[in-house]
Amino acid sequence: MYNGDSIRVSKSGVLLDGQNRLMAAQKAKVNLVCDLIVGLEDEVFNTIDQGRTRQKGHLVARDLGSITTTDAQTLTTAVTRVIKYQESLSQLTTGGFEGKIAHKFTAPRVIEYVNQHPELLDQLEVIKKEFGVRCNLSRATLLYVYHIGSRYDATYTLKFLRKAVLAIGLTGDETLYFYHQCLNEYKAKQSNWTKAEF
């Protein structure tokens, strides 16, 4: 039934709104009666349906294309934590007064980081496979730790996470060694960690 909802297309030819309706019409082999609006700015996508800016995870999923929204949200949270860590910001930092540091955590910044570090997508798959829903730490936290630790030793970091999260695979001496590496090489500061991460 015609209800006034439109199919919206950007100036560059990107379908901004209506994909599900068009796919449903194609699958059902029926004609779709609707309005068609073309020539919109690409940024309009951020406000469609919700009337407000979409969550970063949705924008990251859209731009990466080969990732689910759930995985994109995990990736977004992990990358935001990595950026905070690298820039010596507290993990509790948000947008800051009048958004002065909010630019650090935007979807384009997350996508830029993922493009510079494509191994993150493989690391996400490892975290999903290894830990599933068997622990009380979020996948984003696990990915954050695994990504940073992998800069030094991916195999050992995974062993450490198994020990820390699932309590398997490391001796006491190995655990102490890894904590020593964290504190020295990662230059970790307690004030930059959340209570759970510490």
Side-chain angles (χ1 to χ4, degrees):
M1 179 186 296
Y2 175 80
N3 67 0
D5 284 348
S6 60
I7 304 297
R8 293 179 258 196
V9 181
S10 74
K11 287 179 181 177
S12 59
V14 174
L15 179 62
L16 298 172
D17 188 29
Q19 176 183 350
N20 291 332
R21 281 172 281 153
L22 291 172
M23 289 175 66
Q26 182 184 29
K27 189 172 183 178
K29 296 182 171 56
V30 297
N31 291 327
L32 180 64
V33 178
C34 63
D35 294 323
L36 175 65
I37 300 174
V38 296
L40 296 169
E41 298 295 333
D42 286 326
E43 293 77 18
V44 167
F45 176 80
N46 297 354
T47 63
I48 290 174
D49 293 337
Q50 298 185 33
R52 59 179 173 85
T53 301
R54 291 188 181 212
Q55 292 182 345
K56 285 183 286 188
H58 292 110
L59 302 175
V60 170
R62 176 199 67 184
D63 288 356
L64 291 180
S66 61
I67 190 170
T68 67
T69 302
T70 300
D71 284 351
Q73 288 169 335
T74 297
L75 197 61
T76 298
T77 302
V79 168
T80 297
R81 290 181 178 180
V82 170
I83 292 170
K84 289 177 181 180
Y85 162 76
Q86 289 181 166
E87 299 187 7
S88 297
L89 296 169
S90 168
Q91 291 296 330
L92 302 177
T93 301
T94 56
F97 181 67
E98 294 180 356
K100 288 183 180 175
I101 60 171
H103 68 280
K104 295 179 184 295
F105 316 128
T106 61
R109 180 80 189 272
V110 170
I111 293 161
E112 176 188 15
Y113 189 89
V114 173
N115 288 334
Q116 291 170 350
H117 300 275
E119 70 275 10
L120 265 164
L121 298 173
D122 294 330
Q123 292 168 350
L124 174 60
E125 292 305 314
V126 170
I127 291 300
K128 286 165 55 179
K129 178 183 174 196
E130 288 288 328
F131 300 102
V133 293
R134 296 180 290 172
C135 66
N136 60 359
L137 289 177
S138 71
R139 282 184 177 166
T141 297
L142 293 169
L143 180 58
Y144 160 61
V145 173
Y146 185 47
H147 177 67
I148 299 239
S150 292
R151 295 175 184 176
Y152 303 98
D153 188 335
T155 302
Y156 194 85
T157 302
L158 190 56
K159 271 180 77 177
F160 173 75
L161 285 173
R162 285 185 189 131
K163 177 67 174 181
V165 176
L166 304 176
I168 55 173
L170 288 181
T171 66
D173 288 344
E174 287 177 316
T175 303
L176 289 174
Y177 169 78
F178 193 84
Y179 276 127
H180 179 75
Q181 293 297 99
C182 280
L183 294 173
N184 287 328
E185 294 186 44
Y186 303 174
K187 298 175 183 170
K189 299 174 184 174
Q190 179 179 351
S191 61
N192 285 354
W193 292 13
T194 65
K195 186 176 178 181
E197 287 162 347
F198 184 73

